[in-house]
Every structure is written in C-alpha cells, then in structure tokens.
Amino acid sequence: MPVKSLTRRSEISQKIVKVALAGCPNVGKTSLFNALTGTKQYVANWPGVTVEKKEGVFTYKGYTINLIDLPGTYSLGYSSIDEKIARDYLLKGDADLVIVVADSVNPEQSLYLLLEILEIEKKVILAMTAIDEAKKIGIKIDRYELQKHLGIPVVFTSSVTGEGLEELREKIVEYAQKNTILHRMILDYGEKVESEIKKVENFLRDKKLRINPRYFALKYLSGDPEFYSEGVKLGLPELSEEERIGYRLLIAKRKREYVENVVKEAFADAGSKSLSLSEAIDHVLTHKFLSFPLFFALMYLVFKFTFDIAQVFSDLLDLLFSQLGSAVVNTFGENAFTSLISDGIIGGVGSVLVFTPNIFAMFLALGFLEESGYLPRAAFVMDRIMEKFKLSGRAFMSLILGFGCNVPSIMATRAIDDPRERLVTILITPFISCSARLPVYLLILRIFFPESSAAMLFIIYSLSILITLLSSVVINWLFYRGRTSPLILELPRYRMPTLKNLYIYTWNRGKHFLKKAGTIIFVSAILIWVLSYFPAAGDIENSFSAMIGKSLEWIFKPFGYSWKIVTSLFYGAVAKEVVVSTMSMLYGFEEETFLGAKEALSAEMDPVSAIAFLIFVMAYIPCFATIATIYSETGSLKWTLFSIGYSLSIAYVLSLIVFYVGKLVVMLI
Amino acid sequence: MNILMFILTLISGILYMKIDLLFGIFLGVVSLVFLAGQFEISKEKYHAHMFVGSIIVLFFAGMSLLEYLTGFLRPILGEERITLSAGHYTLFLTGLVALFMIFKKRMRSE
C-alpha cells in the first residue's frame, strides 16, 4: 500500500506519504524543499551543496507528507558519495513517490535522469522549476506534449513566486492515493540491446530480485559495478570491458535521442542568437587575464565590508557590554559573584558576541557572491591554479564553504569523485580561516593595526588560502603521486540574489556562531572563570589557569608570549572563539574596562609578535568539532592524528619564521 | 564609452590610494576591464565589458558610500566622522556614470 497509517496516542489516524525529491545538482531541489516544507535549509546557486539526505514534513488535506531532499545526481550511476546516497535511496529506499525536479531553462540532463528513474518503475511527478525565469527569457513549455511523451504528471513551479506549489501538493496527495504507477517507461534500445535484455530477463525470471528485471538487465549490460557483480554471482555470463562499454554507449545514446526529441517537441525558446546576460558576464569574469585579479578584487570587497563597514556596529556592541559589566560591579560591589557575571559571563561571552556584526556582514557578502552564481565561476577560474597544487576547482568549492565553518566544508568533500583528492581536501580544510577565527583576528587587528585592518584581514585570509594550497602539495608529495582529475562543472545562470535567499544564507550560517556563543563559549567562559578565579580568590597569578599557562610557557619562549597568551591558545583548542573570551577574562581581571584590558594586551605584544600570533591561530589545531568530522569522514585515526600534528607543526614553524623575519625587517628599518 | 569609464575608474583608483591603498589598487584593476573592452571587435563583447565593469565599479562606489554613512555613528564612540576627499568625490561620480551605463545596457537587452 502506498499510503501508510499512523495511529497516535490520541487515536487520530493520519495518512503518511513519503516523497523523495530527486534531480540534477543545482536545479532548485532544496529551494523547492524549503518552499513546500517552510524550512530554511541552506540553498546555493551552485552544484553539490546538498551532500546528504534532508527530511522535512508538511501536512496537506489530512496527509502528512515526509519530504526527503536527496543530493543532486546527473544519473543513477555512482561515482561520488553524495551521488551514491541519492541512488541507494531511489533504488532501495521506501519512498512512495518521487518528484523529479528539472530546470525549465536547461531541461536536457534532468530529463535524462528522469528516464532512468522511470525505468525503476516508481511513481514519479515531474516538477519543472524556475518557470518564472524560463518565461522571462521567452522559453515556452508545452505541458501537454511533455505529459504525452513521459506519461506522468508535470507541474510548473517557481520557488521564488510560489507558482505551482499548491498544484504540486495536490498532485502528491492525488497520486499517492493511486495504487499503481501511471506509466511504465519502456524505451526501445534497438535490436542488439533488446535481444540481450530479453536473454537476461529470461534468466532472471525465477530469481528473487529487489528491482524489476528489465532495469537490472540494463544496468548489468552497461557494467554498473553493483548490478554487474550481482548478476555474475547469480550466474549471468561475464562480459568483456569492451562489451560493457559498447552497451553503455548504446543505452546512453538512445536515452539522449529520446530526450532531444522530447525537448524539440515540448520546448520552444525565443530563438535569440545574441549573447545572453550570463554569457556576457562570463565573457568578462572568466576572461583569460582579467578573471584572476577580478576574483581578488571582489574578495577584497568582501573583507572591506566585513571590517570597515561592520566595525562601527561591533564597536557600539563593545561599548554596550563594557557599560553592562561596569554597571554590575557598581551596583553589587566587587565580590566573587559579580566577578563571575562581569568578568566571566559578560566579559567572556560578550567579548565574542561583539563580533556578531562582522560575522554576519561576511556571510552576507559571501552569500551575495554565491547566490548570484559567481562562486562556481571562481572555482572555474581557480581550477587552472588549483591544478598546480594537485587539486581541482571542485575542491575549491568545498574549501570556500570553510570560510563559514570547517565542518560543512569537510562534509562537502563528499561531492569529490577522486578518493585521493577528497582525502587531501579534508586534511587541508582546517587551514581555511573559519568564522570562529575571525573574532581573534579582529581583536588583534583593532589593537595593533587600527588604520589598515581590512587590508591586513585580506592578507591573512589570502595567506590562509596559500597555506591550504601548499599543504596540498606537501601531502600529495608525501603520500600520493597521482594526477588531478579535470573539473567538469555545470555553471549555473547568474541571477539577482533574492532578499529571502540572502537572509536564509546569512542567518543559517550566522546563527551557528550565536548558538556557539550561547553554548560552548558560555560553558567555557564559566569554566575558565572558575579556573582563573580559584584557588586564590581572584589572584590570577596564582590561579589554575596561571599554572596551566606557566607550565606551557616554555614552548612559546621564542615569541616572548606571556602565560596569559599561552593559556588563551590552550583553551582555544576547544573552539577558536574561546581565545578571545579567555584573553578578555585574563586581562580583564586586573582592569576595570575592556579598553583597559586591551591596553594591557598591547603592552605585552608588539605588531610583529601580534602577526606571529595571528598566523599561529590561523593554522594551529582544528577545533574539537572539526577533529570529530575529520575522523568520521576519513574513518581513520591515523589521518585524524596526522591532521592535528601537521597543523600544529605548520602553525609553530610558520609563526616562528614570521616572528624572526619581522623582527629583522623592523631592525633594518 | 569604455575609454571614458577606464579613465574615470583609473583616476578614482589613483586618488583613492591616499585613503586606502589596496582599495585604490583594486579600482585600478577594475579599470582594466574597460580597457580590455576597448579592444574588443565584437560589439556585444564591447558592451559586456562596459556592463560588467560598471557593476563592479558600482560595488566599489557603494562600499565607499556605506563606509562614509556608517561614519555618522562614530561620534557616539567618541571618534571623528569620515571627511570626504577628492578620491571619494571622483568615485561617487564614477559610480553614478556606472549606474547610468548599467541602466542603458539593461534597456538595450530588454
């Protein structure tokens, strides 16, 4: 039965329908998922963003519809992990219905995937997305022709305007009530392939299969690793590689011809031969000579926006927290409790929260570039350079997610086909400066480089990319000697980012920072306050924190860092923002205001040791969450330990070099 | 028109270097988009350079304007407001011309 019943405690019976959303990468599956379920999953205008199944629920006409957003896949073969997740669910999952999402402007590849899904004999609805954009550029789609050729319901939708969403909900419920699929797709693959299919089907007649015999035969003949080995195990003859490739090409060719015919019959474009807006923009932004400097110019604007524009709001927050801390002490007097509130909680958590405007500003700017469709072009532009560092533009796309947080960046490597490149990308990702490190940079830059903070921030981020890329060369040199696989990337259309999508992008990423401030940093702040207040009742020089810092001080002796800085780095291993909250607390104990604490910090460091400190923070040990993700994604303790050891060594050596070279330059000047 | 935008952006970049060196350098980089456009034989590609270059110039001008406007909040922090200089004025003017170019190109494509 396609519709299941669930009896709740209240004895209200509800009908549940499980619906899978499948489609090629970047056709708008997640946008449709958000529009149907009212959730705010992260959407981006580039392929490979959804790398795992996501579930959402909505109710319609008494039905509870469980929607599963699958990672994008171009076909039901499998090469990368995310594609395998989609394929496995479609072949073995328990979906009652599949919505194949196709881009109305570029439907060919989506229709190819649709044919494959129809061959599994699932109940399918075709949702043509971005219908508003198709109309805008003069593409006309004949729904009758599409339905006639494909034999399934077709719905035109737009996640931006909301067009067709109600109709889609209606169709889901209507189709789920039916017990049989509306149309069996049986493509004629020509005499040679069809006779082989018949032979295989006859052989499989008595066998117990989890899938229809025709689909099994097609996959077996085209040499799909899973079906081919299963077929051979069942007693089907082994095929030579040439035979398998031959069948695969014949099957793919017939599908392509069918799709071409459907597109010819059902789609009519405006027939313009002039450059489209996307082509015109691409002509400049992917220009042979201009593309690279323009990429850096745009990235500089991102950092200018992050620092120079948002800084005034950050300073206002800083002022607010300073006055709040002073008000607590002035009202309740100086004692252990007020010290916990003003130094521990307001000082510790507040010192991190003041950077909220900067972090949201950075995500807003990056979101604009991503939503507009520029970032995949950046991957394309960077591919030429990435190749020299034994990586591809695909790795660059994963790495760029790391500016927000390294955890999703590591998860996004699932979209990389080559296992070598995937592992290397995972291991180098911690060098990409995540938003957790931004508060540390901003704090130090504000104190030591107030006039050129945006430029310095840009240099630090550029350096972090450089170290990331050089690390790829080192790891490849140490463990692999392979070639990089070429980047094949479907570039999305340029589009004006909508305010709604920008809001979702910025909020989804920024809230992670706020959540951390309310959880990890809050708990850490209290723990650090306890360790810094006791056992000497506020005498910080004799606290537990001082003991920890002083015992590790020798490691940083060449830099001349005090135990307070060492302790901040030690606690910062949990999460990088903790470096700021620890500094704020350790220096704040002896000072009445944050400004005083900052002056105390500037008395212990000079600009050169401050830069060395920033380099160390940029590269040293991944945070706990990143370490756990590296372990779960590589499944190897060896690589996880390597990542920790390697990043610590690089951080130490690099900051030491910067420190001594910097001192030398200052001496010479 | 590419040549006009090239000259305006380049002058803005040079004047802005006094205020923010990297910003000025990158404006200089953007001016090369217009220069390269001048050498395009295809009319469409010529306009593509003008259109994309103007959008980027508009981003730069917008950023400069935003920085100036947020400067009005500085007195609350006991700091001075940003005073406008020749670099700002030239960039704002170039931004206005860029805005005109973008609208002109959009009208043409519609």
Side-chain angles (χ1 to χ4, degrees), chain A residues 610-639:
Chain A
I611 292 176
F613 176 77
L614 288 183
I615 303 285
F616 191 83
V617 170
M618 181 184 76
Y620 92 116
I621 200 162
C623 69
F624 282 6
T626 306
I627 292 172
T629 313
I630 292 173
Y631 180 69
S632 67
E633 290 298 306
T634 60
S636 157
L637 186 65
K638 184 185 90 176
W639 287 120

PDB file of all heavy atoms in Angstrom, chain A residues 610-639:
ATOM      1  N   ALA A 610      52.317  40.182  17.298  1.00  0.00           N
ATOM      2  CA  ALA A 610      50.864  40.072  17.073  1.00  0.00           C
ATOM      3  C   ALA A 610      50.590  39.339  15.762  1.00  0.00           C
ATOM      4  O   ALA A 610      49.701  38.482  15.701  1.00  0.00           O
ATOM      5  CB  ALA A 610      50.238  41.462  17.043  1.00  0.00           C
ATOM      6  N   ILE A 611      51.358  39.658  14.710  1.00  0.00           N
ATOM      7  CA  ILE A 611      51.163  38.970  13.420  1.00  0.00           C
ATOM      8  C   ILE A 611      51.500  37.480  13.585  1.00  0.00           C
ATOM      9  O   ILE A 611      50.763  36.607  13.109  1.00  0.00           O
ATOM     10  CB  ILE A 611      52.026  39.601  12.304  1.00  0.00           C
ATOM     11  CG1 ILE A 611      51.517  41.015  11.998  1.00  0.00           C
ATOM     12  CG2 ILE A 611      51.975  38.756  11.036  1.00  0.00           C
ATOM     13  CD1 ILE A 611      52.337  41.761  10.985  1.00  0.00           C
ATOM     14  N   ALA A 612      52.630  37.202  14.276  1.00  0.00           N
ATOM     15  CA  ALA A 612      53.015  35.802  14.500  1.00  0.00           C
ATOM     16  C   ALA A 612      51.900  35.062  15.248  1.00  0.00           C
ATOM     17  O   ALA A 612      51.593  33.902  14.938  1.00  0.00           O
ATOM     18  CB  ALA A 612      54.323  35.744  15.292  1.00  0.00           C
ATOM     19  N   PHE A 613      51.287  35.748  16.201  1.00  0.00           N
ATOM     20  CA  PHE A 613      50.192  35.157  16.980  1.00  0.00           C
ATOM     21  C   PHE A 613      49.004  34.831  16.059  1.00  0.00           C
ATOM     22  O   PHE A 613      48.414  33.747  16.135  1.00  0.00           O
ATOM     23  CB  PHE A 613      49.769  36.154  18.072  1.00  0.00           C
ATOM     24  CG  PHE A 613      48.593  35.710  18.887  1.00  0.00           C
ATOM     25  CD1 PHE A 613      48.731  34.755  19.893  1.00  0.00           C
ATOM     26  CD2 PHE A 613      47.326  36.232  18.657  1.00  0.00           C
ATOM     27  CE1 PHE A 613      47.644  34.346  20.645  1.00  0.00           C
ATOM     28  CE2 PHE A 613      46.237  35.832  19.407  1.00  0.00           C
ATOM     29  CZ  PHE A 613      46.398  34.883  20.409  1.00  0.00           C
ATOM     30  N   LEU A 614      48.682  35.782  15.170  1.00  0.00           N
ATOM     31  CA  LEU A 614      47.563  35.572  14.239  1.00  0.00           C
ATOM     32  C   LEU A 614      47.831  34.385  13.313  1.00  0.00           C
ATOM     33  O   LEU A 614      46.935  33.591  13.021  1.00  0.00           O
ATOM     34  CB  LEU A 614      47.308  36.827  13.405  1.00  0.00           C
ATOM     35  CG  LEU A 614      46.689  38.011  14.139  1.00  0.00           C
ATOM     36  CD1 LEU A 614      46.415  39.156  13.183  1.00  0.00           C
ATOM     37  CD2 LEU A 614      45.378  37.601  14.816  1.00  0.00           C
ATOM     38  N   ILE A 615      49.087  34.282  12.855  1.00  0.00           N
ATOM     39  CA  ILE A 615      49.445  33.169  11.969  1.00  0.00           C
ATOM     40  C   ILE A 615      49.277  31.848  12.733  1.00  0.00           C
ATOM     41  O   ILE A 615      48.767  30.862  12.195  1.00  0.00           O
ATOM     42  CB  ILE A 615      50.922  33.297  11.480  1.00  0.00           C
ATOM     43  CG1 ILE A 615      51.141  34.619  10.776  1.00  0.00           C
ATOM     44  CG2 ILE A 615      51.355  32.098  10.633  1.00  0.00           C
ATOM     45  CD1 ILE A 615      50.585  34.744   9.402  1.00  0.00           C
ATOM     46  N   PHE A 616      49.685  31.857  14.000  1.00  0.00           N
ATOM     47  CA  PHE A 616      49.565  30.635  14.799  1.00  0.00           C
ATOM     48  C   PHE A 616      48.087  30.246  14.949  1.00  0.00           C
ATOM     49  O   PHE A 616      47.711  29.094  14.737  1.00  0.00           O
ATOM     50  CB  PHE A 616      50.210  30.829  16.179  1.00  0.00           C
ATOM     51  CG  PHE A 616      50.352  29.542  16.935  1.00  0.00           C
ATOM     52  CD1 PHE A 616      51.432  28.703  16.710  1.00  0.00           C
ATOM     53  CD2 PHE A 616      49.389  29.152  17.852  1.00  0.00           C
ATOM     54  CE1 PHE A 616      51.548  27.491  17.390  1.00  0.00           C
ATOM     55  CE2 PHE A 616      49.494  27.951  18.534  1.00  0.00           C
ATOM     56  CZ  PHE A 616      50.584  27.121  18.300  1.00  0.00           C
ATOM     57  N   VAL A 617      47.254  31.244  15.276  1.00  0.00           N
ATOM     58  CA  VAL A 617      45.811  30.975  15.446  1.00  0.00           C
ATOM     59  C   VAL A 617      45.203  30.492  14.125  1.00  0.00           C
ATOM     60  O   VAL A 617      44.345  29.610  14.107  1.00  0.00           O
ATOM     61  CB  VAL A 617      45.080  32.241  15.964  1.00  0.00           C
ATOM     62  CG1 VAL A 617      43.571  32.055  15.922  1.00  0.00           C
ATOM     63  CG2 VAL A 617      45.522  32.553  17.381  1.00  0.00           C
ATOM     64  N   MET A 618      45.673  31.073  13.028  1.00  0.00           N
ATOM     65  CA  MET A 618      45.144  30.704  11.717  1.00  0.00           C
ATOM     66  C   MET A 618      45.377  29.219  11.408  1.00  0.00           C
ATOM     67  O   MET A 618      44.511  28.557  10.833  1.00  0.00           O
ATOM     68  CB  MET A 618      45.833  31.553  10.644  1.00  0.00           C
ATOM     69  CG  MET A 618      45.364  31.298   9.232  1.00  0.00           C
ATOM     70  SD  MET A 618      46.342  32.285   8.119  1.00  0.00           S
ATOM     71  CE  MET A 618      47.853  31.358   8.082  1.00  0.00           C
ATOM     72  N   ALA A 619      46.536  28.714  11.832  1.00  0.00           N
ATOM     73  CA  ALA A 619      46.900  27.368  11.389  1.00  0.00           C
ATOM     74  C   ALA A 619      46.822  26.278  12.459  1.00  0.00           C
ATOM     75  O   ALA A 619      46.743  25.100  12.127  1.00  0.00           O
ATOM     76  CB  ALA A 619      48.319  27.410  10.817  1.00  0.00           C
ATOM     77  N   TYR A 620      46.835  26.652  13.728  1.00  0.00           N
ATOM     78  CA  TYR A 620      47.015  25.588  14.727  1.00  0.00           C
ATOM     79  C   TYR A 620      45.765  24.758  14.966  1.00  0.00           C
ATOM     80  O   TYR A 620      44.660  25.180  14.688  1.00  0.00           O
ATOM     81  CB  TYR A 620      47.577  26.167  16.033  1.00  0.00           C
ATOM     82  CG  TYR A 620      46.585  26.595  17.109  1.00  0.00           C
ATOM     83  CD1 TYR A 620      46.564  25.951  18.338  1.00  0.00           C
ATOM     84  CD2 TYR A 620      45.723  27.666  16.926  1.00  0.00           C
ATOM     85  CE1 TYR A 620      45.703  26.351  19.350  1.00  0.00           C
ATOM     86  CE2 TYR A 620      44.860  28.063  17.929  1.00  0.00           C
ATOM     87  CZ  TYR A 620      44.850  27.405  19.132  1.00  0.00           C
ATOM     88  OH  TYR A 620      44.004  27.789  20.113  1.00  0.00           O
ATOM     89  N   ILE A 621      45.976  23.572  15.436  1.00  0.00           N
ATOM     90  CA  ILE A 621      44.996  22.519  15.754  1.00  0.00           C
ATOM     91  C   ILE A 621      43.524  22.823  15.389  1.00  0.00           C
ATOM     92  O   ILE A 621      42.977  23.847  15.793  1.00  0.00           O
ATOM     93  CB  ILE A 621      45.112  22.154  17.259  1.00  0.00           C
ATOM     94  CG1 ILE A 621      44.518  20.799  17.555  1.00  0.00           C
ATOM     95  CG2 ILE A 621      44.543  23.180  18.184  1.00  0.00           C
ATOM     96  CD1 ILE A 621      45.001  20.225  18.887  1.00  0.00           C
ATOM     97  N   PRO A 622      42.885  21.949  14.606  1.00  0.00           N
ATOM     98  CA  PRO A 622      41.461  22.161  14.307  1.00  0.00           C
ATOM     99  C   PRO A 622      40.632  22.084  15.596  1.00  0.00           C
ATOM    100  O   PRO A 622      41.042  21.422  16.553  1.00  0.00           O
ATOM    101  CB  PRO A 622      41.106  20.980  13.392  1.00  0.00           C
ATOM    102  CG  PRO A 622      42.398  20.366  12.978  1.00  0.00           C
ATOM    103  CD  PRO A 622      43.416  20.727  14.004  1.00  0.00           C
ATOM    104  N   CYS A 623      39.476  22.763  15.614  1.00  0.00           N
ATOM    105  CA  CYS A 623      38.657  22.711  16.832  1.00  0.00           C
ATOM    106  C   CYS A 623      38.091  21.296  17.027  1.00  0.00           C
ATOM    107  O   CYS A 623      38.157  20.462  16.117  1.00  0.00           O
ATOM    108  CB  CYS A 623      37.516  23.730  16.746  1.00  0.00           C
ATOM    109  SG  CYS A 623      36.284  23.316  15.516  1.00  0.00           S
ATOM    110  N   PHE A 624      37.517  21.028  18.186  1.00  0.00           N
ATOM    111  CA  PHE A 624      37.048  19.674  18.505  1.00  0.00           C
ATOM    112  C   PHE A 624      36.031  19.154  17.473  1.00  0.00           C
ATOM    113  O   PHE A 624      36.092  17.997  17.068  1.00  0.00           O
ATOM    114  CB  PHE A 624      36.430  19.647  19.909  1.00  0.00           C
ATOM    115  CG  PHE A 624      37.450  19.618  21.017  1.00  0.00           C
ATOM    116  CD1 PHE A 624      38.798  19.741  20.742  1.00  0.00           C
ATOM    117  CD2 PHE A 624      37.059  19.475  22.341  1.00  0.00           C
ATOM    118  CE1 PHE A 624      39.760  19.735  21.756  1.00  0.00           C
ATOM    119  CE2 PHE A 624      37.996  19.460  23.371  1.00  0.00           C
ATOM    120  CZ  PHE A 624      39.350  19.599  23.069  1.00  0.00           C
ATOM    121  N   ALA A 625      35.106  20.042  17.070  1.00  0.00           N
ATOM    122  CA  ALA A 625      34.063  19.611  16.118  1.00  0.00           C
ATOM    123  C   ALA A 625      34.692  19.205  14.786  1.00  0.00           C
ATOM    124  O   ALA A 625      34.279  18.216  14.165  1.00  0.00           O
ATOM    125  CB  ALA A 625      33.065  20.737  15.900  1.00  0.00           C
ATOM    126  N   THR A 626      35.716  19.966  14.366  1.00  0.00           N
ATOM    127  CA  THR A 626      36.376  19.650  13.092  1.00  0.00           C
ATOM    128  C   THR A 626      37.145  18.341  13.205  1.00  0.00           C
ATOM    129  O   THR A 626      37.114  17.508  12.283  1.00  0.00           O
ATOM    130  CB  THR A 626      37.315  20.808  12.678  1.00  0.00           C
ATOM    131  OG1 THR A 626      36.558  22.005  12.682  1.00  0.00           O
ATOM    132  CG2 THR A 626      37.916  20.589  11.317  1.00  0.00           C
ATOM    133  N   ILE A 627      37.809  18.134  14.338  1.00  0.00           N
ATOM    134  CA  ILE A 627      38.558  16.883  14.528  1.00  0.00           C
ATOM    135  C   ILE A 627      37.592  15.692  14.437  1.00  0.00           C
ATOM    136  O   ILE A 627      37.876  14.697  13.751  1.00  0.00           O
ATOM    137  CB  ILE A 627      39.298  16.891  15.894  1.00  0.00           C
ATOM    138  CG1 ILE A 627      40.419  17.939  15.867  1.00  0.00           C
ATOM    139  CG2 ILE A 627      39.878  15.508  16.207  1.00  0.00           C
ATOM    140  CD1 ILE A 627      41.090  18.180  17.205  1.00  0.00           C
ATOM    141  N   ALA A 628      36.440  15.828  15.118  1.00  0.00           N
ATOM    142  CA  ALA A 628      35.459  14.731  15.093  1.00  0.00           C
ATOM    143  C   ALA A 628      34.978  14.475  13.664  1.00  0.00           C
ATOM    144  O   ALA A 628      34.803  13.316  13.256  1.00  0.00           O
ATOM    145  CB  ALA A 628      34.282  15.080  15.991  1.00  0.00           C
ATOM    146  N   THR A 629      34.786  15.558  12.883  1.00  0.00           N
ATOM    147  CA  THR A 629      34.310  15.388  11.498  1.00  0.00           C
ATOM    148  C   THR A 629      35.391  14.752  10.627  1.00  0.00           C
ATOM    149  O   THR A 629      35.077  13.899   9.782  1.00  0.00           O
ATOM    150  CB  THR A 629      33.884  16.753  10.898  1.00  0.00           C
ATOM    151  OG1 THR A 629      33.069  17.425  11.850  1.00  0.00           O
ATOM    152  CG2 THR A 629      33.118  16.592   9.618  1.00  0.00           C
ATOM    153  N   ILE A 630      36.642  15.149  10.841  1.00  0.00           N
ATOM    154  CA  ILE A 630      37.724  14.536  10.063  1.00  0.00           C
ATOM    155  C   ILE A 630      37.730  13.026  10.333  1.00  0.00           C
ATOM    156  O   ILE A 630      37.834  12.210   9.412  1.00  0.00           O
ATOM    157  CB  ILE A 630      39.107  15.155  10.423  1.00  0.00           C
ATOM    158  CG1 ILE A 630      39.164  16.608   9.954  1.00  0.00           C
ATOM    159  CG2 ILE A 630      40.252  14.356   9.799  1.00  0.00           C
ATOM    160  CD1 ILE A 630      40.398  17.367  10.407  1.00  0.00           C
ATOM    161  N   TYR A 631      37.562  12.670  11.606  1.00  0.00           N
ATOM    162  CA  TYR A 631      37.583  11.250  11.969  1.00  0.00           C
ATOM    163  C   TYR A 631      36.403  10.510  11.319  1.00  0.00           C
ATOM    164  O   TYR A 631      36.582   9.438  10.737  1.00  0.00           O
ATOM    165  CB  TYR A 631      37.541  11.089  13.491  1.00  0.00           C
ATOM    166  CG  TYR A 631      37.563   9.637  13.909  1.00  0.00           C
ATOM    167  CD1 TYR A 631      38.709   8.863  13.730  1.00  0.00           C
ATOM    168  CD2 TYR A 631      36.436   9.034  14.446  1.00  0.00           C
ATOM    169  CE1 TYR A 631      38.727   7.518  14.072  1.00  0.00           C
ATOM    170  CE2 TYR A 631      36.442   7.690  14.804  1.00  0.00           C
ATOM    171  CZ  TYR A 631      37.596   6.943  14.614  1.00  0.00           C
ATOM    172  OH  TYR A 631      37.602   5.613  14.942  1.00  0.00           O
ATOM    173  N   SER A 632      35.201  11.125  11.391  1.00  0.00           N
ATOM    174  CA  SER A 632      34.040  10.417  10.846  1.00  0.00           C
ATOM    175  C   SER A 632      34.096  10.333   9.317  1.00  0.00           C
ATOM    176  O   SER A 632      33.653   9.351   8.731  1.00  0.00           O
ATOM    177  CB  SER A 632      32.734  11.082  11.296  1.00  0.00           C
ATOM    178  OG  SER A 632      32.621  12.351  10.720  1.00  0.00           O
ATOM    179  N   GLU A 633      34.654  11.343   8.661  1.00  0.00           N
ATOM    180  CA  GLU A 633      34.679  11.324   7.192  1.00  0.00           C
ATOM    181  C   GLU A 633      35.821  10.473   6.624  1.00  0.00           C
ATOM    182  O   GLU A 633      35.686   9.916   5.545  1.00  0.00           O
ATOM    183  CB  GLU A 633      34.779  12.754   6.638  1.00  0.00           C
ATOM    184  CG  GLU A 633      33.529  13.583   6.836  1.00  0.00           C
ATOM    185  CD  GLU A 633      32.302  13.036   6.124  1.00  0.00           C
ATOM    186  OE1 GLU A 633      32.372  12.808   4.908  1.00  0.00           O
ATOM    187  OE2 GLU A 633      31.274  12.817   6.799  1.00  0.00           O
ATOM    188  N   THR A 634      36.951  10.415   7.349  1.00  0.00           N
ATOM    189  CA  THR A 634      38.051   9.576   6.845  1.00  0.00           C
ATOM    190  C   THR A 634      37.948   8.168   7.422  1.00  0.00           C
ATOM    191  O   THR A 634      38.470   7.219   6.840  1.00  0.00           O
ATOM    192  CB  THR A 634      39.437  10.146   7.231  1.00  0.00           C
ATOM    193  OG1 THR A 634      39.518  10.216   8.673  1.00  0.00           O
ATOM    194  CG2 THR A 634      39.681  11.517   6.655  1.00  0.00           C
ATOM    195  N   GLY A 635      37.296   8.045   8.575  1.00  0.00           N
ATOM    196  CA  GLY A 635      37.189   6.749   9.255  1.00  0.00           C
ATOM    197  C   GLY A 635      38.561   6.259   9.699  1.00  0.00           C
ATOM    198  O   GLY A 635      38.789   5.063   9.848  1.00  0.00           O
ATOM    199  N   SER A 636      39.474   7.188   9.893  1.00  0.00           N
ATOM    200  CA  SER A 636      40.844   6.774  10.198  1.00  0.00           C
ATOM    201  C   SER A 636      41.436   7.627  11.323  1.00  0.00           C
ATOM    202  O   SER A 636      41.482   8.856  11.224  1.00  0.00           O
ATOM    203  CB  SER A 636      41.697   6.916   8.931  1.00  0.00           C
ATOM    204  OG  SER A 636      43.060   7.036   9.251  1.00  0.00           O
ATOM    205  N   LEU A 637      41.893   6.947  12.352  1.00  0.00           N
ATOM    206  CA  LEU A 637      42.538   7.640  13.466  1.00  0.00           C
ATOM    207  C   LEU A 637      43.887   8.200  13.006  1.00  0.00           C
ATOM    208  O   LEU A 637      44.309   9.276  13.415  1.00  0.00           O
ATOM    209  CB  LEU A 637      42.719   6.670  14.645  1.00  0.00           C
ATOM    210  CG  LEU A 637      43.248   7.283  15.932  1.00  0.00           C
ATOM    211  CD1 LEU A 637      42.263   8.283  16.514  1.00  0.00           C
ATOM    212  CD2 LEU A 637      43.552   6.199  16.963  1.00  0.00           C
ATOM    213  N   LYS A 638      44.531   7.442  12.097  1.00  0.00           N
ATOM    214  CA  LYS A 638      45.849   7.837  11.606  1.00  0.00           C
ATOM    215  C   LYS A 638      45.773   9.215  10.925  1.00  0.00           C
ATOM    216  O   LYS A 638      46.558  10.110  11.233  1.00  0.00           O
ATOM    217  CB  LYS A 638      46.346   6.787  10.599  1.00  0.00           C
ATOM    218  CG  LYS A 638      47.749   7.022  10.073  1.00  0.00           C
ATOM    219  CD  LYS A 638      48.106   6.026   8.996  1.00  0.00           C
ATOM    220  CE  LYS A 638      47.718   6.544   7.639  1.00  0.00           C
ATOM    221  NZ  LYS A 638      48.090   5.696   6.508  1.00  0.00           N
ATOM    222  N   TRP A 639      44.798   9.396  10.025  1.00  0.00           N
ATOM    223  CA  TRP A 639      44.681  10.669   9.313  1.00  0.00           C
ATOM    224  C   TRP A 639      44.240  11.791  10.245  1.00  0.00           C
ATOM    225  O   TRP A 639      44.618  12.947  10.072  1.00  0.00           O
ATOM    226  CB  TRP A 639      43.717  10.550   8.133  1.00  0.00           C
ATOM    227  CG  TRP A 639      44.289   9.757   6.989  1.00  0.00           C
ATOM    228  CD1 TRP A 639      43.784   8.607   6.456  1.00  0.00           C
ATOM    229  CD2 TRP A 639      45.486  10.031   6.259  1.00  0.00           C
ATOM    230  NE1 TRP A 639      44.586   8.148   5.438  1.00  0.00           N
ATOM    231  CE2 TRP A 639      45.636   9.004   5.291  1.00  0.00           C
ATOM    232  CE3 TRP A 639      46.454  11.039   6.323  1.00  0.00           C
ATOM    233  CZ2 TRP A 639      46.706   8.963   4.400  1.00  0.00           C
ATOM    234  CZ3 TRP A 639      47.522  10.991   5.434  1.00  0.00           C
ATOM    235  CH2 TRP A 639      47.645   9.968   4.496  1.00  0.00           C
TER     236      TRP A 639
END
